[in-house]
Amino acid sequence: MNRYNIPENAIITVAGTVGVGKSTLTGALAERLNFQTSLEQVDHNPYLEKFYHDFERWSFHLQIYFLAERFKEQKKMFELGGGFVQDRSIYEDTGIFAKMHADQGTMSKTDYDTYTSLYEAMVMTPYFPHPDVLICIGRQPAVDPHPDQMTTRARWKSRRMSPTGSICTDVIPSGSMSSAPVRCCA
């Protein structure tokens, strides 16, 4: 136990849209708590570049890839005994990004239904290790990302998706994770 009464084996996940400051907050929390960080890895994603050129063709593939990678990362953090702050969660994709693609028509209804069915079977079970705390951060919808963030992040590129999110200050304990949908930052 540290001076904040947070168990040394806790898993804290920071959620939010692209460019909102997840990695910055993750680093600050990890340093303060003497935890390890688990940062989203995008450098070796085989679908990301293709996705930015053709949303309709690659949105389902990209979401399945993220689901698999985030599932493995979540499992690894628990197998290592916790003590992590994570900068992107498995929970955001289904309720935010995959849903946005389905709503905008860049993912078919069949693909979205398949994705959400797989997500629910993998993640929304008592067998999947949920984080102890989920912190959602966001921007007001009218605020665009800072230009420095856009030029330093390859993920921004030119695209049709809105990079903004809503303000979300919810902190959701893991006990409610399996029954409470993550509604933040949509």
Side-chain angles (χ1 to χ4, degrees):
M1 201 66 77
N2 51 42
R3 72 180 199 194
Y4 303 102
N5 293 323
I6 296 173
E8 293 175 5
N9 65 345
I11 304 286
I12 300 170
T13 299
V14 179
T17 56
V18 176
V20 77
K22 293 179 305 297
S23 298
T24 302
L25 180 58
T26 295
L29 286 172
E31 183 178 330
R32 181 70 59 105
L33 298 171
N34 199 28
F35 278 21
Q36 297 179 71
T37 58
S38 172
L39 303 175
E40 181 179 34
Q41 302 297 314
V42 295
D43 294 339
H44 303 290
N45 184 323
Y47 297 106
L48 205 53
E49 189 69 34
K50 296 172 187 176
F51 166 75
Y52 285 128
H53 290 19
D54 188 349
F55 295 140
E56 290 84 5
R57 168 76 175 95
W58 297 105
S59 64
F60 178 73
H61 298 81
L62 180 69
Q63 290 305 136
I64 292 296
Y65 177 83
F66 279 141
L67 180 62
E69 292 302 305
R70 292 183 179 135
F71 184 90
K72 290 185 288 188
E73 184 65 16
Q74 190 82 1
K75 186 173 171 260
K76 181 180 104 181
M77 288 186 298
F78 278 88
E79 288 172 349
L80 291 174
F84 280 89
V85 182
Q86 178 183 31
D87 82 336
R88 170 68 78 190
S89 79
I90 198 167
Y91 306 102
E92 296 156 86
D93 285 324
T94 189
I96 298 174
F97 298 110
K99 182 174 180 350
M100 177 188 66
H101 286 296
D103 290 348
Q104 291 181 352
T106 54
M107 182 185 290
S108 73
K109 180 177 179 351
T110 301
D111 284 349
Y112 180 69
D113 290 346
T114 300
Y115 172 82
T116 55
S117 176
L118 180 60
Y119 168 84
E120 288 171 9
M122 290 172 64
V123 177
M124 301 312 283
T125 72
Y127 311 108
F128 182 73
H130 300 286
D132 296 292
V133 176
L134 177 62
I135 302 170
C136 300
I137 60 174
R139 282 199 169 93
Q140 291 191 32
V143 177
D144 286 331
H146 190 276
D148 290 344
Q149 290 174 313
M150 292 173 63
T151 58
T152 59
R153 291 176 177 256
R155 291 178 281 175
W156 274 108
K157 305 206 181 202
S158 174
R159 56 184 165 169
R160 292 177 284 174
M161 296 184 300
S162 170
T164 59
S166 59
I167 294 175
C168 179
T169 57
D170 298 337
V171 176
I172 305 168
S174 66
S176 65
M177 198 76 59
S178 61
S179 62
V182 178
R183 297 180 314 257
C184 64
C185 311

